[in-house]
Structures are given as structure tokens and as C-alpha cells.
Amino acid sequence: MTFSIHGLAVARGIAIGRAVLVASSRVDVAHYFIEPAQVDSEMLRLVQARDAVHGELQSLHDTLPKDSPPELAAILEVHLMLLHDEMLAEGVTHWVKDRLYNAEWALTSQLDVVARQFDEMDDPYLRERKGDLEQVVERLLRHMKGEAHVVPHVSSKRSGQSRQQDLQLEDSMDVPLVLVAHDLSPADMLQFKQSVFAGFVTDVGGKTSHTAIVARSLDIPAVVGARTASQLVRQDDWIIIDGDAGVVIVNPSPIILAEYGFKQRQAEVERERLSRLRHTPAVTLDGQRVELLANIEMPEDSPAALGVGAVGVGLFRSEFLFMGRIGALPDEEEQYQAYRRAVEGMKGLPVTIRTVDIGADKPLDRAHKEEAHLNPALGLRAIRWSLADPAMFLTQLRAVLRAAAHGQVHLLIPMLAHAREIKQTLALLDQARSQLDARGEAFGPLKIGAMIEVPAAALTVKMFLRHFDFLSIGTNDLIQYTLAIDRADESVAHLYDPLHPAVLRLLADTIAECRAQGKGVSVCGEMAGDPALTRLLLGLGLRSFSMHPTQILAVKQEVIRADASRLEAWAQSVLLSDDPAELMGL
Ligand code: PEP
Ligand code: MG
């Protein structure tokens, strides 16, 4: 039966493929494809975990105190039975052998399949056994997590597999796969970055949640905030993701499939057309030069930035080097090498490295998320986190300074609000320089910038400009904090409004003050990459935009069609309007 699910459109385009479900589990589970050669060792990990859990349950059973209630022994027997359940074992083997899922992913996928069958049972006693099965699987997962097991990178493209493996995967190889999950952490998304998915859908998340941002950087159609999608969609269902409309169509009829196939081809033609603008200078009709920069998450993203003609990196979100790791944070050498790769990858163009912005919806891992402050967006995040751990921060500052010996590097500090934080940050930067001097280590000059992400900062721009060489406006957070809307919460997504007059006022005043003082200012939030807002930002005086490489050509098209001086008066009228969106016809 065909049905559709509505969510939020976060990454454009149409994807058509079979659903791959990432089941949610209470235990943090890594999801990645293994190489065919790893199948046996993956199966062995499962067997070892099963044997260990068997031993654990058996010894619990055998050592129950004499006076314990008889139900306890019965429950443990049920758990032992479920541990050896054939359907569980066969299913897990299928996911590992035929689909090349890692063991943990295979377990949670099969749990999902079996749990649905329990849900459909008439007998209430049997229905309740679902909870027992979940506990057994959780025990298995915890056992596997206890292993010193490093999450490998997502396996290389499946097209690189042997012919024999191709045959094994024949039913799934030929069709694109789309990922459906309750939630994906930004770290999960990075894992999927080099993988095979043609699109993805999540139940939760807002338009500028970090998961959505990474999706946009992958340039694959995506819908977030689709609420119950992961429960409604079944493994292997055919689905269409309409990333422009924010709609997911499940089990489409042949007519709908044909219609979307047509739309998909049209989008490809449009993409092809835009790609011709790659070498066109970003200059408005009235001759104003506009700087179009790239936002990147990893040094390996720099070729994509160069490929679309970015004139530098306006935001390197360094926290992605820190996330999804098991054990220690990256040390100075590892960070230095990563920043250096980004700098060298940009072939002499400037690279703006933002210091780590951990916290809120970018926890280091899920365990930290659970411990996190109740309202993490207002808690120990970004520069607050860095200043709370000076040794960690100094390590990052030294690494950035060293990378600056290899090219033009700008340092960008997120989420500042207080003069005190600015002073502490600059003092630590001086200390990092002295430490490198003392070691006789080479380092280069840095331009230092602050992000304007908190209304308090936007209202004290003059103070910021006394200390910094440039400012970069993080509209994603500026909107969140101005309107008191959690950017990751789909239930308030309809109130997240980049065109709210208060947001526009803060933006306009920040840009105007920087221009008046001759200091550089850019926007690096998602607003910069939205072609529907390019003319407004130009009219407000913005000449530097930083966005995902995937957005650059569409924004460039707007720039070269715009007459910036004529847009000024219009932008002022938008600024004064009660309903800017209506005035702009959006
Ligand atoms: C922003 O807040 O606009 C920004 C660019 O930073 P991030 O999205 O990483 O919080
Ligand atoms: Mg931010």
C-alpha cells in the first residue's frame, strides 16, 4: 500500500531506492559496512558474545538465592531461550553475510524485525516477550561494546567488491539504498559520508540540526523530523524521498515512480547547467565582488570546495575530528596534520578553522549526550567547553598555529558572549604561541575572528570589533537563541524563522557596523547557502558568504543576476516589515 510521510526538507533532490533501517537501540551502536573478507570474523564476534552472555545468564540462574521468587528463574530461562532463538540467529547471519552489516547493526536490525512480529501477536503473554528479547540483545551489544573494538571507516564503495560478493548481493546491489533511522548523530552521518546511500530520512531533527547540516554537505536528498517514519517503513520497502518538498513516499505505485523518475532527471539537468558557472567570477551586475566560501567538516572535503570554485574555507567545523571516537581526543599532532591537510588541500586559499564546538546536538558520543546538561544548547558548549578545559584548548590552538605555517589560516571562535571569555581566549592563544616558541616549533600568523551566534554578541559588536580582525555570523545559532527555538527539535521547527524581524535586525546591524569599521564580516550559517535569501543578504551589505560546497553554484547564480546597489533600499523595507517573508514572496 502506498502512503506518504511528511517531514522537513533539508537537502534537495529526489532519491528513489530501497529502505535500509537503522534500528534505534538503548546501547550506542556503530553502523558501517564490513568488507566481504571480514564476514567470518564478524560472525565470530557474534558467537563469542552469545557464548559470553550464555555463561552470564546461566551462572545468574544457577546462583539464584534459594528464597528468590520462582519467576526470576523462569525469566532467565526465557532469556536463555531467546538468546538461542533461531529466527534471531538466522536473521543476524543474513544481515552480516548478505548485506555486509557490522555485527551490532545486524543485531539491532534483526531485533527490529522480530520485535514487530511480537507486536503483531494476539497472545498478550507472547507480546510482552518483546521486552525480554530487547534485554537479551542489549546484553549482547554491551558485550561487544566491551571489546577493544575500533569503529572502522565505512567500507569502500560496494562496487569495489569481488564478483562473487556481487552475486551474493544481487537483489540489493542494483538498486540505490536509502537510510531510514529514528535519529542519526552527526558522527553517524560522517560514517555514512563515504557510503552508498542515495538519501536518508530521520524521525527527529530540525532544519538546521547538525545532522541536517551534514546531510546537506553530502548532497543527498534528505528529510528529517518525519516523526514515525522509522516505525512505518519496513526494511526493503521501496521509497521515494522528495528532499524539496520534505515528503517520503512509501511503496509508490508505478505511475508515481515514473513521475518522480522524471523529476529526478530534470534535477540532474539543472545541476549540469549550474556546473557551468564553476569558473564564472561571483560579481554582481553592478560590479560588486562577492566572496563565496565553503563550509567543511573534514580536510577531505577540500576538493569538493575547490571543485565548485569556492575561494576559501569560511568554516571548518573542527569538532568533527573530535566526535565518534572511542577513547582519547585527537592530540596536537593528529590535529595539526588534519588542519595542514585542509590548508594544503585548498592550494593557497584561506582556511578558517573554527575551534571545537562540542555540546548541544554535537555530543562527543551518545554516552556524553545522556550525561549532558538538561538543556545542552544553553550549557557547556563551544567556547565554554574549551575554556573549561584549558589544556585541551591549548592543544588545539597550538595545532592551528602550526598549520598556519603552511598557508593562510584564520582562527574562528564560536559562541562568545562575554568580554571575559574574549580575554581568556586571547590570553590562551598567547600562551599557545609561547609554548611553541619554547619548543622551537614553527608556526604562522593568524587572523582571529569571532562568531556572532548569541544575541548578546550581536548587541555588543563594537566591543567584539575592538578585539577581532573579522566576524562571522552563525545564523543557525543566532536564530535559535534569539527566538528561543531549539534548532534540533522538530516540534518547534515551524517557529524557527530566519526572516523574523528581530533576527534580521541583529544581522543587519552587525553587517553595517563591520562595514563602517572596514572589518570583514561573513555569514556562515545555513542562511548563507539559501539562494532564496541571497538578494536580501546582498541588500543588507553582505559580501562574504560561507556555505556547503553543494550550495555555492546556486548562490552564485543569484549573485551574478543581482544588482546589489538597487537591492539596498528594498532590503531596508524588508527590515522594517512586520512580515518580511510575505514581502519577499516566500
Ligand atoms: C551557526 O550556528 O550558524 C554555525 C555556522 O555553527 P554551527 O551550525 O556549527 O553551530
Ligand atoms: Mg553555531
Side-chain angles (χ1 to χ4, degrees):
M1 188 190 62
T2 302
F3 61 95
S4 54
I5 305 169
H6 292 252
L8 302 166
V10 292
R12 303 169 68 81
I14 310 282
I16 304 174
R18 281 208 188 267
V20 172
L21 281 180
V22 170
S24 44
S25 151
R26 277 172 285 180
V27 180
D28 190 16
V29 170
H31 303 92
Y32 53 92
F33 290 110
I34 56 171
E35 297 292 344
Q38 290 172 293
V39 165
D40 288 345
S41 59
E42 211 61 8
M43 290 306 300
L44 185 66
R45 289 178 60 226
L46 282 160
V47 170
Q48 284 168 341
R50 191 199 58 202
D51 292 350
V53 169
H54 180 98
E56 208 173 83
L57 291 171
Q58 193 66 57
S59 92
L60 272 174
H61 181 270
D62 297 347
T63 53
L64 277 177
K66 292 243 172 323
D67 54 351
S68 49
E71 292 84 1
L72 265 187
I75 289 175
L76 289 170
E77 282 155 21
V78 169
H79 282 201
L80 274 164
M81 203 181 72
L82 290 169
L83 180 67
H84 296 282
D85 180 73
E86 254 178 40
M87 200 157 59
L88 185 66
E90 277 170 14
V92 169
T93 308
H94 159 70
W95 297 120
V96 174
K97 287 198 171 157
D98 303 337
R99 295 296 183 88
L100 299 178
Y101 287 11
N102 66 307
E104 290 87 345
W105 187 6
L107 261 173
T108 51
S109 295
Q110 189 57 16
L111 170 64
D112 213 40
V113 171
V114 183
R116 282 171 198 252
Q117 293 174 0
F118 275 116
D119 281 341
E120 284 160 11
M121 286 175 181
D122 292 332
D123 181 337
Y125 172 81
L126 288 178
R127 254 201 325 266
E128 278 162 24
R129 299 291 64 77
K130 179 177 120 175
D132 292 297
L133 182 69
E134 283 169 350
Q135 286 174 17
V136 169
V137 169
E138 208 163 300
R139 260 181 200 274
L140 285 165
L141 291 172
R142 287 194 195 283
H143 256 280
M144 289 196 285
K145 205 174 153 90
E147 299 169 7
H149 171 63
V150 178
V151 179
H153 227 66
V154 175
S155 136
S156 50
K157 301 268 187 285
R158 290 196 291 171
S159 53
Q161 290 164 2
S162 71
R163 175 109 189 92
Q164 194 191 348
Q165 283 299 325
D166 282 345
L167 294 175
Q168 275 186 19
L169 288 166
E170 57 187 357
D171 63 336
S172 58
M173 279 298 291
D174 302 338
V175 291
L177 301 176
V178 292
L179 194 68
V180 181
H182 175 67
D183 191 11
L184 289 170
S185 68
D188 278 340
M189 288 298 300
L190 274 192
Q191 288 264 327
F192 287 123
K193 202 156 179 159
Q194 295 158 41
S195 78
V196 293
F197 297 107
F200 85 90
V201 183
T202 60
D203 296 346
V204 299
K207 267 194 173 200
T208 58
S209 63
H210 287 97
T211 305
I213 288 175
V214 180
R216 230 163 279 144
S217 80
L218 300 184
D219 199 17
I220 56 173
V223 171
V224 301
R227 295 175 191 244
T228 48
S230 72
Q231 287 161 37
L232 298 174
V233 176
R234 303 205 167 203
Q235 201 74 247
D236 282 338
D237 274 351
W238 274 100
I239 61 176
I240 297 173
I241 300 177
D242 182 342
D244 298 304
V247 176
V248 181
I249 303 169
V250 186
N251 292 324
S253 65
I255 294 177
I256 297 179
L257 260 181
E259 174 68 18
Y260 275 92
F262 175 69
K263 279 193 182 188
Q264 209 176 19
R265 284 190 295 280
Q266 271 187 324
E268 270 156 30
V269 171
E270 171 64 11
R271 198 184 283 240
E272 186 59 34
R273 202 177 57 74
L274 275 181
S275 73
R276 291 192 218 125
L277 294 180
R278 217 168 32 220
H279 303 296
T280 308
V283 177
T284 60
L285 289 175
D286 54 331
Q288 310 246 3
R289 188 163 288 278
V290 176
E291 187 179 48
L292 299 181
L293 301 159
N295 291 355
I296 64 170
E297 276 96 38
M298 285 292 184
E300 293 68 37
D301 296 335
S302 34
L306 287 178
V308 290
V311 294
V313 168
L315 175 66
F316 175 178
R317 288 184 163 98
S318 69
E319 56 275 13
F320 282 85
L321 297 172
F322 289 65
M323 290 184 323
R325 302 168 64 100
I326 294 170
L329 298 179
D331 62 14
E332 180 183 321
E333 192 58 28
E334 183 182 341
Q335 288 189 57
Y336 159 64
Q337 294 296 351
Y339 304 146
R340 181 178 170 173
R341 280 203 307 282
V343 170
E344 290 178 346
M346 289 305 292
K347 314 252 184 268
L349 295 170
V351 174
T352 308
I353 302 173
R354 177 177 68 184
T355 60
V356 63
D357 184 358
I358 288 293
D361 68 333
K362 285 183 287 190
L364 280 174
D365 56 39
R366 224 158 282 180
H368 281 75
K369 191 174 180 176
E370 277 154 20
E371 284 161 19
H373 193 282
L374 272 180
N375 194 341
L378 302 180
L380 195 64
R381 122 159 238 210
I383 188 63
R384 302 170 181 183
W385 196 72
S386 297
L387 292 177
D389 189 347
M392 184 276 303
F393 194 34
L394 280 166
T395 303
Q396 177 165 43
L397 294 174
R398 287 193 303 270
V400 175
L401 281 161
R402 286 174 60 195
H406 302 278
Q408 285 187 70
V409 174
H410 305 334
L411 180 74
L412 184 59
I413 314 293
M415 224 193 143
L416 287 162
H418 300 266
R420 194 172 59 244
E421 291 168 331
I422 298 176
K423 289 194 178 118
Q424 281 173 344
T425 303
L426 297 179
L428 284 167
L429 189 58
D430 280 342
Q431 195 179 337
R433 285 195 189 96
S434 312
Q435 289 174 336
L436 290 174
D437 265 336
R439 269 171 31 192
E441 193 92 58
F443 61 89
L446 292 176
K447 273 196 181 169
I448 306 161
M451 287 192 78
I452 301 296
E453 304 192 273
V454 184
L459 293 167
T460 53
V461 162
K462 283 196 171 79
M463 187 251 298
F464 276 76
L465 290 178
R466 281 199 289 279
H467 297 283
F468 291 100
D469 301 316
F470 69 97
L471 299 182
S472 184
I473 309 173
T475 46
N476 305 337
D477 278 316
L478 189 60
I479 298 165
Q480 151 165 278
Y481 295 126
T482 305
L483 302 180
I485 299 300
D486 184 340
R487 61 194 266 196
D489 183 348
E490 72 280 2
S491 67
V492 286
H494 60 291
L495 297 172
Y496 187 93
D497 180 11
L499 293 175
H500 189 289
V503 173
L504 294 184
R505 169 58 55 200
L506 294 175
L507 251 173
D509 290 355
T510 304
I511 296 169
E513 187 60 39
C514 289
R515 286 183 63 123
Q517 296 203 24
K519 294 254 177 142
V521 59
S522 68
V523 169
C524 62
E526 298 298 293
M527 279 180 86
D530 183 346
L533 303 181
T534 309
R535 285 155 44 85
L536 177 64
L537 292 172
L538 286 171
L540 294 178
L542 190 75
R543 297 292 178 267
S544 174
F545 296 62
S546 191
M547 68 203 85
H548 290 294
T550 53
Q551 300 300 110
I552 285 186
L553 294 174
V555 169
K556 190 188 278 187
Q557 176 167 265
E558 293 299 317
V559 168
I560 60 181
R561 288 176 178 171
D563 184 333
S565 45
R566 290 181 66 177
L567 287 172
E568 272 171 34
W570 169 75
Q572 289 307 313
S573 66
V574 172
L575 204 54
L576 294 176
S577 158
D578 289 348
D579 192 348
E582 191 185 35
L583 198 68
M584 292 175 67
L586 297 175

